[in-house]
Every structure is written in structure tokens, then in C-alpha cells.
Amino acid sequence: MGSSESTPVQWLSSPPPPNPELDQPWRTFDWGQKKYLKEKLENFSPSHPDVKDIKILVAGPIGGGKSSFINSVDSAFQGRISSRALVYSYASGQILSQNLKGFSIRSGGKTLPFIFKDTMGLESPVSAGPQTEDIINAVFGHVKDGYKFNEGQALTYKDQHFN
Ligand SMILES: Nc1nc2c(ncn2[C@@H]2O[C@H](COP(=O)(O)OP(=O)(O)OP(=O)(O)O)[C@@H](O)[C@H]2O)c(=O)[nH]1
Ligand SMILES: [Mg+2]
């Protein structure tokens, strides 16, 4: 792993069958709330004057749908399909997200105070090492946008990408 030339994890080339547990919804949701939720988020602002935006770190297993989730949120606000975050393609077999990349969401001519931070997918056993350290550093805001994750070596404070 770690480069676009590397072989993707086996199950990514043919997705596993859905878990039967997913046949039943685990909660009921009133989808009629969409307009209300959208307006609530459009009118949201952080209560602390020094906080300009809220950064949401999207982390999880490779191919888990992190980038797709960001695109879904963006699509909901744009009113059209958004594909700004690159999504894993079964056709090309490429794992695309290798950098920490921030996505802000615009709606009604303004930028909402949310920034989604897309990350490289975690995989075992690599995620037990440097990747975990990088995620912890990202939570504390120490990782600059655009940093390319290096599975062999966690980011250190000496690196130019360290905040
Ligand atoms: N069925 C289904 N497929 C999904 C869903 N979300 C994403 N996918 C598919 O799962 C694959 C991986 O999605 P990505 O959004 O690239 O996942 P990722 O977590 O960003 O992947 P990495 O960046 O490689 O770690 C793509 O082929 C998506 O089309 C979902 O909710 N349902
Ligand atoms: Mg991704």
C-alpha cells in the first residue's frame, strides 16, 4: 500500500456481501426533515468568537465510503451531484485518497463553517503504527492540508507539513 501502483486489498476488487444485520433499519428517520436540517446548518455558527470553523476529520477503513460521504454532504447543499472528493474506483482498482485534504461546503453564496478533512483509509496492521499517530496529530490540528500520508513513517514536528 502507499502508492497508486500498489495492489489494492483483495476485498476491494470484489465487494463483500452485505451483512444481514443491515436488512433492517437501525433507527427510524424522518426524511421530511431535510429542508429543516439544511437551514439549521446554513444558519449555524460556532459560539466561540475565536473559532471560525469546525473541522470534521473523516477517518475509517480503506474503501469505507469516507470520500463518498463528503460528496454526499456537498451534493445535498449544491442540489446536484458533487464529486470533488475522489472516490475509489473498482474499475481502475486505485485507492485515491492518500493526502489529508480539506473540503469546505458552500451554500447560498456563503461558505459554511464546516471543513471536512478527508484522510487516507486505515488498514490493519499498518493502522496500528504510523497511521494512528498521523490521525492523532490530525485531530490536534498538527497536520497541514495536502500532507501525503506515509505508512512507513509518522509525521514528526520537524516535517514541513507539521503545524
Ligand atoms: N453500496 C455502497 N457503496 C458505497 C457507499 N459509499 C461509498 N461506496 C462505494 O465504495 C467505494 C469506496 O468509496 P470511497 O468513498 O472512495 O471510500 P473511501 O473511504 O474514501 O476510500 P479510501 O480513500 O480509499 O480509503 C466506491 O466504489 C463507492 O462508490 C455506500 O453508502 N453504499
Ligand atoms: Mg477516500
Side-chain angles (χ1 to χ4, degrees):
M1 291 292 129
S3 75
S4 54
E5 291 83 37
S6 56
T7 312
V9 167
Q10 201 57 45
W11 64 260
L12 278 177
S13 53
S14 58
N19 187 328
E21 200 179 326
L22 302 176
D23 288 345
Q24 295 296 323
W26 55 275
R27 65 172 179 173
T28 52
F29 190 79
D30 178 8
W31 292 103
Q33 289 180 7
K34 186 179 167 185
K35 191 165 172 274
Y36 163 76
L37 279 173
K38 200 165 161 250
E39 282 173 6
K40 196 173 170 187
L41 290 170
E42 278 167 347
N43 296 322
F44 173 86
S45 60
S47 56
H48 196 290
D50 291 344
V51 178
K52 290 189 181 61
D53 48 49
I54 292 172
K55 294 181 181 68
I56 302 166
L57 190 78
V58 186
I62 48 171
K66 300 177 291 297
S67 305
S68 299
F69 171 73
I70 294 168
N71 285 334
S72 296
V73 175
D74 196 32
S75 300
F77 282 100
Q78 303 315 311
R80 58 176 172 77
I81 300 295
S82 163
S83 52
R84 288 164 60 209
L86 295 177
V87 164
Y88 175 85
S89 161
Y90 287 108
S92 68
Q94 276 192 325
I95 295 165
L96 289 166
S97 307
Q98 294 186 340
N99 301 55
L100 185 74
K101 188 163 165 46
F103 292 91
S104 53
I105 309 287
R106 285 185 66 79
S107 184
K110 66 172 183 175
T111 303
L112 303 184
F114 303 101
I115 297 181
F116 288 97
K117 293 279 191 174
D118 200 5
T119 59
M120 183 177 180
L122 299 168
E123 69 173 306
S124 185
V126 178
S127 57
Q131 276 191 290
T132 309
E133 282 180 51
D134 282 345
I135 294 291
I136 292 168
N137 272 329
V139 168
F140 285 103
H142 293 320
V143 186
K144 287 187 189 169
D145 213 66
Y147 170 66
K148 185 171 183 185
F149 290 98
N150 179 354
E151 292 164 353
Q153 169 74 52
L155 187 69
T156 69
Y157 71 94
K158 292 176 187 161
D159 195 288
Q160 56 167 334
H161 288 98
F162 194 92
N163 238 350

